[in-house]
Amino acid sequence: MKKSVITIAVAATVGLGTIFGAAPLKIEAESISKLKGEQNKIQEKRSDLKSGINQANDKISDLQNQQADVKSEMKRIDFAIGDTTTKINEKTAKIEETKAEVAKLQEETKVIKERIEKRNVLLKDRARSYQETGGMVNYLDVLMGSTSFSDFIDRANAVATIMQADQDILKQHEADKKELESKQAQVETDLASLEKMLADLEKMNQQLSAQKAEKDKLLGALKNQEAEEHEHIMDLTEEEQLLAAQDAAIQKAIKMEQEAQARAAAEAAKAAKNSQASGGGGASTTIPNNSSGYWTQPAVGRLSSGFGGRGDGNHYGVDIANATRVPIVAAADGVVIKSYSSTSYGECIFISHSINGQVYTTVYAHMSSRIAGNGAVVKKGQQIGVMGNTGASEGQHLHFELHKGPWTQDKRYAIDPASLVPLPGR
Ligand SMILES: [Zn+2]
């Protein structure tokens, strides 16, 4: 009974295709042009990403030029620091020398002062002895004792000479003392000026060191900026690679679309058969029942977390949990655009789907193993992996995302899978 119904349904569909032969062709052309539109959008996005990468590369070379400038400025500062340090050492040595000279002059002045002191004492003693013996009378005695006028002159001259000599020695000492004092004053002035120069040089050296520290800080900041740009390029490159894979997947989808359209009637019949088979209760407990529409449930389990349903509101998919390591299946026909191991997604597969010209992307994360590689063409309900707890996951579950359009870093095309895909209950 059932068998005959299917036969009739297949016959009817095939018949329609035959009767309205032009109609499927029109549908085909329409969906292919939609796919091409999607492909154009992806290619535009790719060229945006490529120009973003170029801009980042320009920024990097600009940052590298700035770093080279800063480095040459730092070299100049280093040279100036070396120069002032040499001068500081020279001035310090000169100051030591001058201080020694001051000490020497002080010593010499002290000696002269002592001599003057002694001479003064001597002269006072002599003056006192003149007074005690009658002073000038004594000289007069000398003079009066002269035997002739010529003798008198000689004696008078001798007295004057002795007195003059005493005066001259004293004057010479005073002159020496004055000269020494003026020399000392000059050297002390020199010392003060040297000390000022040294202070100026030390200040200059401090300023140069501060400048160097500032340049060092600037260099660090430029290096950080460059590292950020490199990271940015890595992100953009990764996204671009994903879009390139998606581009290729759509290209494949365009080719497949014709076959798919041609087989549309047969596919519909098969879907009906599957639907009846699942309705018959003979379904496996680990493989989800293959639904009749474009979409099927990706894994057996319970819905442990809904779309956007976390505290932070940033859950871009749904979680299906199961204590058993159940199979994960493709939610719809498509092409695997990425099959890889990620630190966050764990063992993960991305599938690109083209449904009536609309591109969808599904993501299956945290699997324990993957059994579909890059570029693999998969059918709805076909196993692609096994549920697991890999990557940033707490507890065994499937994290499933649905994007209406391509997958992007910001997940701006993510939609609630519940709107299209059959999901288990909580
Ligand atoms: Zn999740």
Side-chain angles (χ1 to χ4, degrees):
M1 182 65 188
K2 267 181 187 171
K3 202 174 182 182
S4 65
V5 170
I6 295 161
T7 312
I8 291 161
V10 170
T13 320
V14 171
L16 276 172
T18 313
I19 295 160
F20 304 105
L25 277 174
K26 201 181 169 197
I27 291 162
E28 188 181 314
E30 222 171 90
S31 62
I32 286 169
S33 82
K34 270 186 185 174
L35 279 174
K36 282 185 176 160
E38 286 291 334
Q39 200 174 22
N40 281 342
K41 267 196 263 170
I42 285 170
Q43 279 164 358
E44 264 171 42
K45 177 76 181 146
R46 283 179 70 190
S47 93
D48 282 354
L49 286 168
K50 278 176 188 163
S51 72
I53 289 168
N54 286 340
Q55 276 173 12
N57 274 322
D58 286 349
K59 260 188 203 164
I60 285 172
S61 59
D62 182 43
L63 286 165
Q64 282 171 346
N65 285 341
Q66 284 185 52
Q67 284 177 62
D69 285 351
V70 172
K71 276 179 190 163
S72 75
E73 277 168 42
M74 281 171 86
K75 235 181 214 171
R76 260 205 314 271
I77 292 169
D78 271 339
F79 184 77
I81 287 174
D83 193 40
T84 41
T85 305
T86 306
K87 280 180 184 157
I88 284 170
N89 292 340
E90 280 168 11
K91 297 293 174 209
T92 307
K94 186 82 187 151
I95 284 168
E96 287 312 306
E97 217 176 276
T98 310
K99 276 180 177 168
E101 203 179 330
V102 168
K104 194 178 146 225
L105 287 169
Q106 279 171 343
E107 190 53 41
E108 281 175 22
T109 309
K110 201 180 141 199
V111 170
I112 285 282
K113 275 180 179 166
E114 277 167 11
R115 271 190 208 153
I116 289 168
E117 207 59 41
K118 275 182 193 159
R119 182 64 54 179
N120 271 330
V121 169
L122 198 72
L123 289 178
K124 268 178 200 159
D125 283 353
R126 197 169 286 171
R128 205 182 300 124
S129 82
Y130 288 159
Q131 276 175 347
E132 280 166 2
T133 56
M136 287 310 283
V137 176
N138 207 288
Y139 277 115
L140 280 176
D141 284 348
V142 174
L143 295 176
M144 286 309 188
S146 52
T147 54
S148 65
F149 183 69
S150 114
D151 185 36
F152 172 79
I153 294 297
D154 285 346
R155 287 175 185 236
N157 277 344
V159 168
T161 301
I162 289 162
M163 290 177 79
Q164 189 58 48
D166 283 343
Q167 295 291 327
D168 283 351
I169 287 166
L170 198 58
K171 264 186 197 159
Q172 187 55 49
H173 284 338
E174 288 291 349
D176 286 353
K177 187 187 156 205
K178 229 177 204 173
E179 199 192 329
L180 278 170
E181 277 170 351
S182 101
K183 247 191 210 169
Q184 196 182 326
Q186 184 55 50
V187 172
E188 274 169 353
T189 308
D190 288 352
L191 184 63
S193 116
L194 278 168
E195 277 171 340
K196 181 159 189 317
M197 276 190 252
L198 180 65
D200 286 350
L201 282 166
E202 276 169 345
K203 200 176 162 195
M204 192 188 284
N205 225 0
Q206 272 174 8
Q207 280 169 348
L208 286 167
S209 295
Q211 270 179 34
K212 198 192 167 187
E214 214 170 277
K215 296 285 173 199
D216 208 37
K217 210 173 142 192
L218 178 60
L219 190 65
L222 289 169
K223 275 182 182 162
N224 281 345
Q225 278 179 44
E226 193 193 331
E228 268 171 33
E229 288 302 326
H230 281 298
E231 210 169 291
H232 185 45
I233 285 179
M234 267 164 65
D235 287 347
L236 292 176
T237 306
E238 203 178 317
E239 197 172 349
E240 204 282 321
Q241 279 166 354
L242 188 61
L243 286 174
Q246 221 146 13
D247 199 350
I250 291 174
Q251 193 57 46
K252 247 182 208 177
I254 289 170
K255 278 180 187 167
M256 281 159 57
E257 188 70 8
Q258 280 178 309
E259 293 166 35
Q261 291 284 346
R263 286 199 314 267
E267 289 288 329
K270 219 185 277 174
K273 191 182 169 191
N274 283 339
S275 163
Q276 274 176 338
S278 63
S284 155
T285 52
T286 55
I287 293 270
N289 293 329
N290 208 341
S291 304
S292 59
Y294 289 113
W295 298 95
T296 195
Q297 187 175 316
V300 167
R302 64 177 184 87
L303 192 74
S304 59
S305 182
F307 183 81
R310 293 247 174 94
D312 55 11
N314 285 333
H315 195 223
Y316 292 102
V318 296
D319 293 343
I320 297 170
N322 198 320
T324 312
R325 283 198 165 184
V326 292
I328 306 293
V329 304
D333 293 354
V335 177
V336 173
I337 55 166
K338 199 169 185 179
S339 175
Y340 74 127
S341 187
S342 146
T343 50
S344 52
Y345 276 151
E347 298 301 323
C348 181
I349 284 178
F350 284 44
I351 299 177
S352 181
H353 312 274
S354 303
I355 293 168
N356 289 332
Q358 172 65 50
V359 166
Y360 292 94
T361 310
T362 51
V363 176
Y364 310 77
H366 311 310
M367 295 190 282
S368 58
S369 63
R370 293 175 275 124
I371 55 171
N374 285 317
V377 176
V378 292
K379 286 276 154 200
K380 179 185 66 160
Q382 180 182 328
Q383 188 177 355
I384 55 164
V386 179
M387 192 182 278
N389 190 24
T390 56
S393 166
E394 289 168 15
Q396 179 166 286
H397 76 288
L398 168 71
H399 171 83
F400 176 73
E401 288 176 17
L402 175 63
H403 301 264
K404 191 173 182 179
W407 182 92
T408 59
Q409 203 85 39
D410 58 9
K411 303 189 183 182
R412 83 188 91 145
Y413 300 122
I415 59 168
D416 187 354
S419 63
L420 290 173
V421 183
L423 294 173
R426 282 186 183 266

